[in-house]
Amino acid sequence: MMKKFVCETCGVQYPSRFVEPEECLICNEERQYVHPDGQSWTTLEEMIARNIYQNEIKQDEDQLFSIKTLPHFGIGQTAYIIQHADQNILWDCITYLDRKTISHINSLGGIDAIALSHPHYYSTQVEWAEVFDALIYIHEDDQEWVTRQSERIIFWSGEHFELSSGVTLHRLGGHFKGGAVLEWQQGNDGKGVLLSGDIIQVVPDQNWVSFMYSYPNLIPLPAEKVREMAERTKLMKFDRIYNAFHRIVKTDGIAAVDRSANRYINAINGKLFEI
């Protein structure tokens, strides 16, 4: 019987096949990792049959909902739904999708488009797109990391892509070459929201952010790349930042990115502390 295997470490799904893949393209790379106990696989059907997972859907603010799987699965990221104008946009994706989740999301108006920050959160994006009859938007610089192809995937190019008036994807790179963030100008009562994945990572002190090439392996980005990313955000409209793990810079987000970039650069250049 053919199965669409899912990597248990990163949660990304592969095309139908009879036997498990030998390795995970996403995990077998320096920005992620193969679990110390070895590569392991499951399927979405097996996850549902185990009856231990559920998706928690919360309203974070007007027209913004978060979706997270409990207990933790894979990387454990949070996805978000923006209700904007006449469409619902899913930002990033999670692996687990069951009938209860589908029913809840349909009660919110379904999903019209799925936009991704980078490959670690591709998960079961094609399953979601097929269930909700949605298109998937991924920057073309990251197309080599797509494990399950689909005619629903649109590879956008350039530095900006407008999904809808006031909702724009920006390629910042850094963590991945095609790494993207989503600027939602009408969010947060018109002050603007940035959904950053972990292209810009909100840290435990949620007045600050950081930037990395690899988070699990603690590989930093060059100072000049971080400065470029911070300068790009100054051209956007947002006051609040949501990252992939539901950490939130509640206000003055552009200034938080700028001062965090300065701290990061000073640290990289050895100017933050004595060694």
Side-chain angles (χ1 to χ4, degrees):
M1 181 178 176
M2 297 184 75
K3 298 180 179 180
K4 298 184 186 74
F5 289 100
V6 171
C7 173
E8 291 195 291
T9 302
C10 72
V12 171
Q13 186 185 57
Y14 284 74
S16 294
R17 52 186 296 160
F18 288 108
V19 296
E20 298 174 349
E22 291 185 5
E23 62 183 32
C24 174
L25 172 70
I26 303 297
C27 289
N28 195 32
E29 197 264 344
E30 60 192 359
R31 281 165 286 199
Q32 182 49 16
Y33 63 95
V34 177
H35 195 279
D37 293 335
Q39 180 67 59
S40 60
W41 302 93
T42 186
T43 66
L44 182 55
E45 292 76 16
E46 289 172 0
M47 290 178 68
I48 294 171
R50 289 174 68 186
N51 198 33
I52 64 170
Y53 295 106
Q54 63 177 337
N55 285 334
E56 180 182 71
I57 302 177
K58 290 184 175 181
Q59 184 165 9
D60 289 282
E61 58 183 78
D62 188 33
Q63 297 180 305
L64 180 68
F65 296 81
S66 59
I67 313 172
K68 182 178 178 62
T69 300
L70 300 173
H72 176 109
F73 178 79
I75 294 173
Q77 71 270 20
T78 300
Y80 296 90
I81 292 177
I82 294 172
Q83 295 179 318
H84 177 78
D86 59 348
Q87 63 176 328
N88 284 0
I89 300 166
L90 179 70
W91 171 249
D92 279 332
C93 200
I94 57 177
T95 304
Y96 191 66
L97 180 63
D98 60 5
R99 281 184 287 185
K100 183 178 179 180
T101 303
I102 294 167
S103 177
H104 192 155
I105 292 176
N106 279 334
S107 74
L108 300 175
I111 294 170
D112 301 289
I114 302 171
L116 282 301
S117 64
H118 72 291
H120 291 157
Y121 304 151
Y122 290 174
S123 56
T124 57
Q125 59 182 1
V126 176
E127 299 281 346
W128 286 72
E130 290 178 348
V131 164
F132 295 106
D133 192 22
L135 295 175
I136 300 169
Y137 295 88
I138 293 172
H139 196 277
E140 65 177 3
D141 285 348
D142 286 342
Q143 60 185 306
E144 66 183 285
W145 302 103
V146 174
T147 57
R148 183 182 169 192
Q149 301 293 332
S150 170
E151 293 181 354
R152 294 180 178 273
I153 299 175
I154 295 174
F155 293 107
W156 60 279
S157 61
E159 301 305 302
H160 320 279
F161 185 84
E162 190 175 70
L163 278 174
S164 181
S165 178
V167 180
T168 304
L169 305 178
H170 298 270
R171 189 197 75 86
L172 295 185
H175 186 37
F176 272 79
K177 187 177 180 182
V181 297
L182 185 150
E183 175 196 12
W184 177 31
Q185 294 186 356
Q186 287 78 15
N188 185 23
D189 295 324
K191 293 190 286 287
V193 166
L194 188 74
L195 301 180
S196 67
D198 52 15
I199 304 305
I200 296 175
Q201 181 71 281
V202 182
V203 297
D205 178 349
Q206 295 179 37
N207 296 305
W208 297 81
V209 302
S210 196
F211 319 80
M212 293 289 272
Y213 179 75
S214 170
Y215 290 97
N217 299 317
L218 302 179
I219 305 173
L221 285 170
E224 60 270 21
K225 180 60 184 179
V226 171
R227 172 50 60 203
E228 175 198 324
M229 294 169 71
E231 291 300 317
R232 290 276 306 280
T233 65
K234 292 179 182 179
L235 303 176
M236 304 176 198
K237 178 188 174 183
F238 65 90
D239 190 57
R240 186 168 293 164
I241 306 172
Y242 289 84
N243 82 339
F245 301 96
H246 212 254
R247 290 178 184 156
I248 306 164
V249 175
K250 293 182 179 179
T251 189
D252 213 12
I254 292 176
V257 174
D258 187 53
R259 67 172 175 266
S260 298
N262 289 333
R263 181 172 74 171
Y264 181 102
I265 291 166
N266 285 336
I268 288 289
N269 292 333
K271 297 178 180 179
L272 186 64
F273 34 68
E274 293 183 4
I275 300 175

